[in-house]
Amino acid sequence: MTEVVLERLVLVSPYIGQAKWASAALKEQIGLGLSAPGRAISNRRARVIWAGQRSWLVAAEVKLEGLAAVTDQSDAWASLRIEGAGVEDVLARLVPIDLRASTFKGGHTARTMLAHMNVAITRVGAQAFEVMAMRSMAGTLVHDLQAAAAQVTARG
Amino acid sequence: MRLQEPEDTVSFTFDGQSIRGVPGEPVAAALMAAGVKLVARSFKYHRPRGIMSAGSEEQNALVTVGRGAQAEPNVRATVLEVSAGLEVFSQNAWPSLKYDVMAVNDLMAPFLGAGFYYKTFMWPKAFWEKLYEPIIRRAAGLGGLSGQPNADRYEKAFAFCDVLIIGGGPAGLMAALTAGRAGADIILADEDTAMGGRLLREVEDIDGQPAADWVEEALVELRALPNVRLMTRTTVTGAYDQGTYGALERIAGPRHIDKPLECFWRVVAKRAILSAGALERPIAFPDNDRPGVMMASAVRSYVNRWGVAPGKTVAVFGNNDDAHRTAHDLAAAGITVAALIDSRPDIQAEGDFEVLSNATVTATKGRHALEGITVTQDGEAREIPVDCLAISGGWNPTVHLTCHMNGRPTWREDIASFVPTPDSIPGMVTAGACNGAFTTAACLKEGAEAAADVARGLGLKPKVTVPAADERAYKIAPLWAMPGKGRKWIDFQNDVHVKDINLAAQENFRSVEHMKRYTTQGMAPDQGKSSNVVALAVLADATGRGIPETGTTTFRPPFVPVSIAAMGAGSQGKGFAPERLTTSHHASVARGAPMIEAGLWYRPSYFPQQGETYWRQSCDREVGYVRNAVGVCDVSTLGKIDIQGPDAAALLDFVYVNMFSTLKQGRVRYGLMLREDGHVMDDGTTARLGPEHFVMTTTTAAAGQVMRHLEFALQVLRPDLDARIASVTEQWAQFAVAGPRSRALLNAVLDARLTDADWPFMACGDVAVAGVAGRLFRISFSGEHAYELAVPARYGASLFRLLTAQAETLGGGAYGMEALNVLRIEKGFITHAEIHGRVTAFDIGMDRMISRKKDCIGQTAAARSGLMSEEREQLVGLKPVGAVKQLTAGAYLFEPGAAAERINSQGYTTSEAYSPTLKTGLALGFLKRGRARHGEVIRMVDHLREIEAKVEVCDPVFFDPDGGRARG
Amino acid sequence: MRITCPNCGERDRREFYYQGDAVALARPASDAGPQAWDDYLHNRENPAGDTQDLWFHEAGCGAWIVVSRNTVTHAIDSTTLAATVKR
């Protein structure tokens, strides 16, 4: 389990009819457009993570005046990367969605729950996920993951 | 007695007696091998009882495992696995299993029949709570709980698959092979410790090899398939909507502090195959409950699978061909078969034992263990000495899961049983014995075909190959209850016998559902798995109806008992709810502040200083900071919602009662939000940061609700509005800096000085603190000259340190929730104690805020005459004027002369505080016609705390009513 | 119970907040009169059969969803984003 530091993170919510133009502008600025629902994309400079109904989290500095509401969220999220052979087993104790590799592939992202918390989960590798939770709940996020991992390990 | 000496045994205890057993075998098998016959006392009559079955349907052998906080009651000894050092205790007996005082109930049996409690404990009424209930509660029940917190771990988990196969017998294994080979993602769950079902318990061949070898081969193949997940010790407990199933897994192996005992799974499956097998049912004959009377198939299980002989001399009694297998298997194992008794005429059976056709068992003897039976054939009775009787009344398909969504099973005359009605559970098909297919060959075939159908439905291309297997026909002639005297037990777990059911019918509880509740048949932990069909057959007979017309009771989840600990796994201690911590949390804790929960947030109550022994001392001091110098308080928990877009102002006009489109940039306005039904939902301030950019604050409690409400307004009611909202609560750490010296404090920390002209009351704008960009709002929840300063959360901890240190140099300091509450009560500012869901803008005196120039949520409904009536309870202030100075929140208000009764209530109090500023207790409350009653003296009565005070009604703004301090 | 969110796919019921009848979509004009408002706020059918209601994917994508379902069979026929419902 390691912390992922997203130095600059903004929420991008395109205005009515502007999603296409916002995406094009983003593409120009960071080399990535808006991802499809449930998908996260990245390049060397930036990441775009679908974040729910008409909204995306963008890890980069962007300017989309008139095209989209842009809100600074750099300090709002705690992000953890969890990795290992048992990672799906651990998440299966906490997350009520289907995270099997056959259905939740690399680059898939979901807004869902982890125990009682609202989270965003992205698959970032065959045995690796990134979990984002509200900053104020970072301690609980670590606690819940550790408790589940301890039990999965103890089962052998 | 063991048929072969096992290689590896461990010791465990039963009621303190050391017993040797094979690790993993059921405790029931080890007890049987040790010659223990008496294992339990029955629920109601405390009758001696022995092991009856070899599975989770066990009615008698319920035991307690472990002691102290870890004791687990009502565990079935037929499922519980032997492990070294296991401590097992019998239940429902005192002082011992053999000499049980409550066995006196058995002698009183003639008085304790069905309905006894209903008829007897009716009067006198007052006796129920004081006398009858405590006595009955003490006498009733099986195992007990320790009353201590359980330190054991439990787990819950989610699983997803294409096909869930429920039951790993011949049908389930064949289904798994067929669908697995075709590539479907499968979970195969079975409640046993090993897959195989009856194949592990019968002597028969599949494809020319012993059935158990075929099972092993199948498992080798299944284990090698990456798309197949085998879950043993896992009972599917319920079928729910949209392909969701509950399943309880018992986790095997040695105990470990972190290792869960059980896992409750929620399995989501596109399709399911129920191959749950069938359960053998007993026959009701006199004293059929003596220890040593067992199900015939269970006898085979102990002999064939566990190598344990249930007795030395065994008789078999049945009404079907399957019972004959027991006689054959016993004889083959070298156990004496005293007789094969078949109720049907002209039975042909070959074997080295006596075969009695057209014969029945009509009596048994032996108090603590079976000693003999009486067999009646052609009117003549004879006694046969036996220590075990294997009985079989036929097989009941395990249809339970198909009934969990309102399905009713269908009666099949040829097998005298209920079978599942097709399509009872969307997405589920049934195969094998649970479908009424009672030969191994038919089970394998149905399993393969069901799986092939399911696989094709998933777009796969399955191949069906079915191995050759046993095809002997199952013939049965129904036999439910014998005539004659004596108690003929049907529901062993709840002590219900034939006469109870007849009595129910006689007293006109003719519906099967009424009979069940009147007699308690089927209401024990086993939920009547073995007894239901027999019971309703007896009821059908008593009421002169057929079995299908009589119908079944409703099978509901769970199929086996599920511990609450498993369902609630993880939700204890820190897992109960997330902890939301502010950026100043650690600094507050370091200052010794007791933290109080506000929703999920933790906030400091007060900051105690040396010499302070009582919270009020700290609170009064902190109130003084704000009134006289400057106080600092973390207000980050308030909801903060960013609103942007061309229609951002229009959205605010729609959700707030007052106008926001007229708000100037760089200014803040107080807003009141209603629900559509006209009642107050929340309040807060909203700042205009730009032409199309606002930031709204909500109360801490309602932040989530307001966010949902705004999305509702935008997505459901006004999708035409081009505005976007985003929660920024987590992004900003925000601190109230309040008091006459607040500006002095800020000027010491901000990069640029604040001026009167630029920063009037209700101004807002960008500022910088040591180069960090922040936002400043000149707003006040204390009535003082005050600000709220926000910085990105990463700087929150530093800013709190900086602000409190500066405040201390100015004669102030940090203040907590208690002081914040006192400050706002002194000013009559409302919180959700006041806007509790039933009050209107009119009630709190804010109806004039509702703008008529626009429509807003709640506007029309708020105008209803009933919500504007002068008779309504209106917000008032209350001050003590009598001898009693203490006011309380939640007390009721009465006219001075009126009795303190509900009917005379004039209103109630919502908040109270001692005001160190005004040196008096204060309360806010709601009083009928309150605004017109300022100056009146009334009574406040708190019935719970037994406090009564004389109070004077006044304006809710107790301090600085013209608001000069906040503006100045 | 599982609900198919038009954005996220099939999800467990725990992720959703239940609002009530989809009649909420048809908000009357402020001058529509007491009867229209009474119907909108309070009067509801209680059908044994097909019904339409509003759910909020609160622990998911934040979409308000119109769910058409059957109160007898518990089958869910369709789900639509409230924001895209023609009205």
Side-chain angles (χ1 to χ4, degrees):
Chain A
M1 199 151 67
T2 47
E3 188 182 353
V4 179
V5 179
L6 298 164
E7 194 52 43
R8 179 75 182 151
L9 190 67
V10 293
L11 188 77
V12 172
S13 305
Y15 295 129
I16 293 175
Q18 301 294 332
K20 211 172 103 186
W21 304 111
S23 187
L26 267 184
K27 184 106 192 162
E28 205 161 286
Q29 291 171 34
I30 59 170
L32 298 169
L34 295 174
S35 54
R39 298 291 181 271
I41 50 178
S42 61
N43 61 18
R44 289 166 146 267
R45 278 186 288 164
R47 296 174 65 186
V48 176
I49 304 161
W50 178 79
Q53 170 85 337
R54 53 197 182 195
S55 59
W56 286 261
L57 282 165
V58 177
E61 198 70 56
V62 299
K63 273 188 78 73
L64 296 169
E65 231 148 285
L67 298 174
V70 176
T71 321
D72 189 3
Q73 299 279 350
S74 308
D75 293 14
W77 293 87
S79 187
L80 287 177
R81 178 187 170 96
I82 66 164
E83 196 164 6
V87 68
E88 281 184 40
D89 288 334
V90 171
L91 291 176
R93 265 74 194 159
L94 300 164
V95 180
I97 67 166
D98 187 358
L99 294 174
R100 285 176 298 165
S102 53
T103 46
F104 197 78
K105 301 180 172 125
H108 285 211
T109 189
R111 290 298 304 265
T112 180
M113 305 174 80
L114 186 142
H116 304 285
M117 288 172 289
N118 290 5
V119 295
I121 297 184
T122 307
R123 185 187 278 275
V124 292
Q127 296 183 350
F129 292 84
E130 220 171 85
V131 183
M132 295 172 76
M134 290 184 205
R135 181 208 55 77
S136 66
M137 300 190 204
T140 301
L141 175 65
V142 171
H143 167 270
D144 289 351
L145 285 168
Q146 276 175 343
Q151 297 203 167
V152 167
T153 309
R155 266 168 168 260
Chain B
M1 190 183 66
R2 293 204 186 263
L3 297 166
Q4 303 92 30
E5 263 324 294
E7 286 171 18
D8 182 24
T9 62
V10 294
S11 91
F12 68 98
T13 62
F14 177 66
D15 281 345
Q17 180 194 349
S18 177
I19 309 251
R20 294 206 74 79
V22 181
E25 76 177 353
V27 161
L31 290 174
M32 204 175 280
V36 177
K37 296 252 173 180
L38 172 64
V39 297
R41 288 280 175 167
S42 71
F43 176 67
K44 185 167 164 188
Y45 299 113
H46 289 246
R47 304 250 309 171
R49 291 283 169 81
I51 293 152
M52 207 176 161
S53 75
S56 70
E57 72 273 24
E58 177 63 27
Q59 302 190 71
N60 287 342
L62 300 187
V63 295
T64 295
V65 184
R67 50 171 95 223
Q70 298 204 305
E72 191 185 350
N74 301 340
V75 177
R76 287 142 295 173
T78 49
V79 173
L80 176 65
E81 293 172 44
V82 168
S83 62
L86 188 72
E87 289 183 295
V88 182
F89 301 93
S90 62
Q91 303 180 156
N92 213 31
W94 185 85
S96 76
L97 198 49
K98 216 157 184 177
Y99 304 101
D100 174 18
V101 168
M102 290 299 282
V104 68
N105 277 7
D106 199 28
L107 301 175
M108 290 167 63
F111 309 103
L112 296 176
F116 168 72
Y117 293 99
Y118 303 131
K119 290 169 188 164
T120 311
F121 298 117
M122 295 295 290
W123 52 266
K125 198 178 157 204
F127 274 34
W128 176 250
E129 250 180 51
K130 292 202 168 68
L131 184 67
Y132 297 146
E133 195 183 349
I135 291 178
I136 294 168
R137 284 214 182 279
R138 219 170 303 137
L142 292 160
L145 292 168
S146 69
Q148 300 164 38
N150 185 353
D152 287 328
R153 297 292 174 93
Y154 289 81
E155 194 175 59
K156 56 188 178 206
F158 303 90
F160 297 83
C161 61
D162 293 338
V163 189
L164 171 66
I165 302 171
I166 302 157
L173 282 173
M174 206 56 229
L177 286 168
T178 308
R181 286 165 184 159
D185 201 349
I186 289 171
I187 291 175
L188 172 59
D190 192 286
E191 67 176 352
D192 204 333
T193 53
M195 297 287 174
R198 290 298 312 168
L199 297 179
L200 303 178
R201 296 154 181 247
E202 304 290 6
V203 180
E204 61 182 67
D205 288 347
I206 294 180
D207 261 355
Q209 58 178 332
D213 293 355
W214 180 85
V215 169
E216 199 41 53
E217 267 181 25
L219 289 174
V220 167
E221 182 179 349
L222 290 172
R223 282 188 203 109
L225 291 172
N227 51 321
V228 176
R229 182 167 176 182
L230 300 174
M231 295 177 71
T232 51
R233 297 181 175 85
T234 305
T235 311
V236 176
T237 55
Y240 304 91
D241 292 329
Q242 280 85 34
T244 304
Y245 296 86
L248 183 70
E249 179 192 11
R250 291 169 286 120
I251 293 156
R255 292 177 87 136
H256 178 278
I257 176 112
D258 279 331
K259 184 165 158 181
L261 293 185
E262 292 176 346
C263 180
F264 186 66
W265 289 89
R266 284 159 176 89
V267 182
V268 178
K270 287 183 188 145
R271 305 290 295 272
I273 298 172
L274 182 71
S275 46
L279 295 173
E280 201 169 23
R281 63 195 178 212
I283 300 167
F285 55 87
D287 294 323
N288 57 344
D289 66 332
R290 297 201 192 278
V293 179
M294 295 177 63
M295 303 313 303
S297 60
V299 168
R300 296 205 294 282
S301 297
Y302 288 106
V303 170
N304 296 333
R305 183 164 175 202
W306 306 113
V308 173
K312 292 188 179 75
T313 310
V314 185
V316 179
F317 171 37
N319 64 344
N320 63 83
D321 294 348
D322 199 59
H324 297 196
R325 296 178 83 145
T326 303
H328 290 287
D329 289 1
L330 285 166
I335 298 162
T336 306
V337 177
L340 168 59
I341 304 148
D342 197 313
S343 60
R344 298 170 298 171
D346 305 322
I347 288 305
Q348 304 299 315
E350 303 265 312
D352 194 12
F353 42 77
E354 189 179 3
V355 179
L356 301 170
S357 291
N358 204 17
T360 54
V361 176
T362 48
T364 67
K365 66 174 189 182
R367 176 87 186 139
H368 290 152
L370 184 68
E371 289 162 11
I373 57 172
T374 303
V375 178
T376 303
Q377 189 184 29
D378 305 326
E380 276 182 43
R382 79 183 235 231
E383 271 195 31
I384 303 176
V386 294
D387 60 354
C388 175
L389 174 66
I391 58 173
S392 174
W395 289 85
N396 290 331
T398 306
V399 301
H400 304 70
L401 258 64
T402 66
C403 302
H404 284 181
M405 287 175 70
N406 251 349
R408 293 280 170 176
T410 308
W411 180 252
R412 233 177 82 182
E413 200 67 46
D414 62 325
I415 56 169
S417 272
F418 284 101
V419 293
T421 301
D423 303 320
S424 291
I425 304 284
M428 181 197 269
V429 292
T430 55
C434 74
N435 209 25
F438 287 158
T439 68
T440 305
C443 286
L444 293 168
K445 184 163 174 283
E446 285 199 3
E449 286 173 354
D453 271 354
V454 163
R456 278 190 289 270
L458 294 167
L460 303 168
K461 293 196 176 70
K463 277 194 211 127
V464 175
T465 49
V466 183
D470 192 291
E471 282 188 278
R472 71 188 97 167
Y474 170 80
K475 292 202 203 87
I476 182 169
L479 178 69
W480 310 108
M482 317 300 299
K485 283 186 169 176
R487 277 173 290 168
K488 293 155 274 190
W489 302 94
I490 291 176
D491 185 334
F492 292 65
Q493 203 159 57
N494 254 357
D495 273 354
V496 178
H497 51 87
V498 171
K499 208 173 135 191
D500 291 327
I501 293 168
N502 287 332
L503 184 67
Q506 197 183 315
E507 298 191 350
N508 216 22
F509 295 102
R510 291 161 61 90
S511 147
V512 67
E513 298 283 6
H514 289 154
M515 178 278 287
K516 168 180 169 166
R517 283 151 185 88
Y518 194 58
T519 64
T520 73
Q521 181 278 321
M523 290 168 71
D526 79 315
Q527 290 285 290
K529 283 191 191 70
S530 312
S531 61
N532 279 340
V533 176
V534 182
L536 70 91
V538 170
L539 181 68
D541 195 39
T543 55
R545 291 173 295 181
I547 290 173
E549 294 79 58
T550 305
T552 61
T553 52
T554 310
F555 298 118
R556 295 190 180 87
F559 177 70
V560 294
V562 177
S563 50
I564 301 290
M567 283 192 277
S571 297
Q572 300 155 287
K574 278 193 177 293
F576 179 71
E579 293 173 343
R580 293 187 81 175
L581 305 185
T582 61
T583 56
S584 66
H585 182 83
H586 299 296
S588 297
V589 170
R591 285 166 170 263
M595 302 305 279
I596 186 168
E597 287 175 53
L600 298 176
W601 289 102
Y602 285 75
R603 306 186 72 182
S605 292
Y606 53 93
F607 296 87
Q609 283 191 353
Q610 215 162 15
E612 290 173 347
T613 55
Y614 183 52
W615 69 271
R616 266 276 309 283
Q617 293 173 300
S618 314
C619 174
D620 290 356
R621 170 178 49 74
E622 290 170 12
V623 170
Y625 287 166
V626 176
R627 291 280 175 244
N628 306 317
V630 58
V632 174
C633 179
D634 192 332
V635 292
S636 309
T637 62
L638 274 77
K640 298 180 275 293
I641 300 172
D642 191 273
I643 303 166
Q644 295 180 43
D647 294 327
L651 173 67
L652 289 167
D653 283 346
F654 184 55
V655 296
Y656 275 133
V657 299
N658 44 339
M659 289 291 260
F660 276 80
S661 46
T662 55
L663 181 67
K664 289 193 184 78
Q665 192 177 327
R667 287 291 183 274
V668 187
R669 185 168 286 173
Y670 174 81
L672 190 69
M673 210 177 269
L674 303 183
R675 298 194 309 244
E676 192 70 277
D677 66 6
H679 292 82
V680 178
M681 179 179 178
D682 198 41
D683 68 346
T685 58
T686 289
R688 190 167 206 161
L689 303 177
E692 298 183 356
H693 190 189
F694 296 81
V695 63
M696 171 191 284
T697 62
T698 74
T699 58
T700 301
Q705 186 191 359
V706 170
M707 193 68 191
R708 186 196 308 140
H709 181 69
L710 295 185
E711 288 289 8
F712 187 80
L714 268 179
Q715 295 181 37
V716 179
L717 301 179
R718 297 291 307 273
D720 57 302
L721 291 180
D722 197 3
R724 293 292 180 258
I725 63 172
S727 170
V728 290
T729 308
E730 295 277 342
Q731 169 65 21
W732 297 93
Q734 194 155 319
F735 301 93
V737 178
R741 294 187 174 167
S742 54
R743 185 161 51 191
L745 189 159
L746 287 173
N747 279 334
V749 300
L750 295 179
D751 293 358
R753 281 188 71 83
L754 304 176
T755 62
D756 252 349
D758 291 345
W759 287 93
F761 186 51
M762 299 303 256
C764 70
D766 292 336
V767 291
V769 192
V772 172
R775 290 172 179 170
L776 188 68
F777 309 87
R778 189 173 159 194
I779 53 181
S780 177
F781 195 52
S782 58
E784 295 298 326
H785 184 124
Y787 302 83
E788 289 188 13
L789 175 59
V791 293
R794 69 184 72 182
Y795 303 109
S798 314
L799 184 61
F800 181 73
R801 273 199 307 274
L802 182 62
L803 293 176
T804 47
Q806 281 298 331
E808 280 158 12
T809 65
L810 293 166
Y815 65 102
M817 289 306 99
E818 296 294 349
L820 181 133
N821 196 43
V822 172
L823 291 161
R824 70 96 189 168
I825 290 172
E826 287 176 343
K827 284 294 297 176
F829 291 147
I830 54 173
T831 67
H832 281 283
E834 283 73 38
I835 45 173
H836 51 52
R838 292 186 295 116
V839 309
T840 63
F842 173 82
D843 297 341
I844 52 174
M846 293 192 189
D847 49 309
R848 269 159 305 185
M849 265 176 73
I850 303 177
S851 166
R852 298 286 154 198
K853 294 182 196 143
K854 61 174 180 90
D855 182 21
C856 78
I857 291 176
Q859 185 194 65
T860 308
R864 288 179 288 177
S865 55
L867 298 193
M868 303 281 286
S869 160
E870 280 300 333
E871 290 301 307
R872 289 182 65 84
E873 291 161 342
Q874 301 163 357
L875 182 69
V876 292
L878 299 163
K879 282 192 283 203
V881 290
V884 177
K885 301 293 179 199
Q886 188 187 357
L887 304 186
T888 59
Y892 279 83
L893 303 173
F894 299 95
E895 302 273 12
E901 291 168 6
R902 181 185 56 81
I903 194 165
N904 294 329
S905 169
Q906 293 286 302
Y908 52 93
T909 60
T910 50
S911 304
E912 65 73 36
Y914 174 78
S915 164
T917 317
L918 303 169
K919 308 274 187 286
T920 175
L922 304 174
L924 296 174
F926 288 87
L927 180 67
K928 282 184 183 165
R929 290 175 285 104
R931 284 192 285 271
R933 293 170 72 174
H934 292 179
E936 223 176 273
V937 173
I938 58 170
R939 282 166 80 200
M940 182 210 85
V941 180
D942 187 328
H943 294 86
L944 274 179
R945 301 180 189 90
E946 295 182 338
I947 293 170
E948 181 171 341
K950 265 165 88 175
V951 290
E952 186 193 323
V953 181
C954 60
D955 191 273
V957 185
F958 299 98
F959 180 69
D960 188 28
D962 63 3
R965 295 174 74 93
R967 283 190 299 272
Chain C
M1 182 178 182
R2 295 177 67 75
I3 297 170
T4 300
C5 167
N7 287 327
C8 305
E10 198 187 271
R11 293 294 181 92
D12 191 280
R13 177 253 172 277
R14 77 190 57 206
E15 293 188 358
F16 298 87
Y17 170 87
Y18 176 70
Q19 170 78 15
D21 199 288
V23 71
L25 288 159
R27 188 173 184 271
S30 50
D31 59 358
Q35 190 56 53
W37 274 95
D38 203 24
D39 286 344
Y40 180 69
L41 285 171
H42 305 299
N43 296 332
R44 295 290 180 269
E45 294 298 321
N46 182 20
D50 292 331
T51 189
Q52 273 205 338
D53 36 35
L54 281 163
W55 297 71
F56 183 45
H57 197 189
E58 189 155 37
C61 66
W64 276 97
I65 299 162
V66 183
V67 176
S68 302
R69 64 188 178 95
N70 188 294
T71 58
V72 177
T73 64
H74 295 189
I76 294 177
D77 304 324
S78 70
T79 54
T80 324
L81 291 176
T84 63
V85 171
K86 288 238 172 11
R87 65 199 96 178

